[in-house]
Amino acid sequence: MEVGGIQALRRWRAEQSGRVGLVPTMGALHSGHQALMTRARAESDLVVASIFVNPLQFGADEDFVQYPRPIEEDLGKCEEAGVDFVFAPALAEMYPSAPEVRVVAGRMGAVFEGAARPGHFDGVLTVVAKLFTLIAPDVTVFGLKDIQQFVLVKRMIADLNFDIELIGLPVVRDADGLAMSSRNEYLTGSDRERALAIPRALDAAAEVAERSRETAESGIGGSSDSGAGPSDVSAGLPAAVEAAALAELEPAAERGDLEIVYCSLVEAATLRPCPPDFTGPALLLVSATVGGTHLIDNLPLEF
């Protein structure tokens, strides 16, 4: 496994042939990141993992300086996962000066995480575009825990005509159900216990959606006077799904266990709120602050 900055990457890349997979990261790697690398290996001949804490995606009051940077541990995890090249550039290499030209995330980047963190997704897309240009991957693998990021990268690939296949890997969870995240390191033991209200909320929402689906399917083929059909069963389902999640989150918030940032069911393609009669792919987006740590999670659904 080779490690280096921009010049080393360019030398290495010029010598390679075959399909290249990219896993962009900010380091502080865990088994969820390694799962992305394993998938990239399955899709590629060569795998590049980037480790770069990108200042453009941190707000003025966020944790850029404190963000964990255990580089030796990270390199070990990359090697375990079979990475061929770790792109670990210095800050001055990626941004010799404050960039005047950036990628703008637009409307979908200004809601949810973008509303709470103005400019965050502009910074994400700018650095991802730089990585795509420098590494020229054939395929890139992103985790679906950061689902808004995934949706925006997908749109950027389409809008800017990057010839790159984008693969999303489902959320990787710890045994207690909490989504794996580098920021979980900030949680105390009691914080983590309180944070479990988030996966419980997603489970409750999934149960409501599944129960409604089963009810709708059981009505198919019934007599014409049997009452509500499938479309009637699903009417108002988005609101019911949200309500089920909030029924878990709001009591936790009232106890002071967490602070709800948002809990919304949206259309997967546009991130707009689902109308009552919506059909198609949807996402339940949840964010909460636990003990000062900002956590996000989501649930994909099909209506």
Side-chain angles (χ1 to χ4, degrees), residues 69-81:
R69 295 168 171 83
I71 187 62
E72 293 304 322
E73 294 177 21
D74 287 347
L75 293 178
K77 288 183 170 67
C78 288
E79 192 156 25
E80 287 174 7

Side-chain angles (χ1 to χ4, degrees), residues 14-55:
E15 296 169 356
Q16 309 307 316
S17 61
R19 186 170 164 89
V20 173
L22 167 64
V23 178
T25 85
M26 291 208 303
L29 304 180
H30 49 66
S31 57
H33 293 106
Q34 289 182 303
L36 301 178
M37 296 168 192
T38 299
R39 179 60 185 273
R41 167 60 63 199
E43 300 287 340
S44 313
D45 301 304
L46 297 159
V47 177
V48 178
S50 65
I51 298 177
F52 178 67
V53 183
N54 176 36

Side-chain angles (χ1 to χ4, degrees), residues 146-162:
D146 299 306
I147 191 67
Q148 188 174 3
Q149 172 181 274
F150 180 86
V151 171
L152 284 162
V153 170
K154 182 178 182 180
R155 186 59 186 258
M156 181 180 73
I157 287 173
D159 287 352
L160 300 187
N161 300 107
F162 283 109

Side-chain angles (χ1 to χ4, degrees), residues 13 18-22 44 135-140 163-166:
R13 190 68 178 88
R19 186 170 164 89
V20 173
L22 167 64
S44 313
I135 297 165
D138 299 284
V139 60
T140 185
D163 186 17
I164 299 171
E165 180 185 357
L166 173 64

Side-chain angles (χ1 to χ4, degrees), residues 268-282:
T270 67
L271 302 183
R272 296 185 188 278
C274 290
D277 59 349
F278 177 74
T279 58

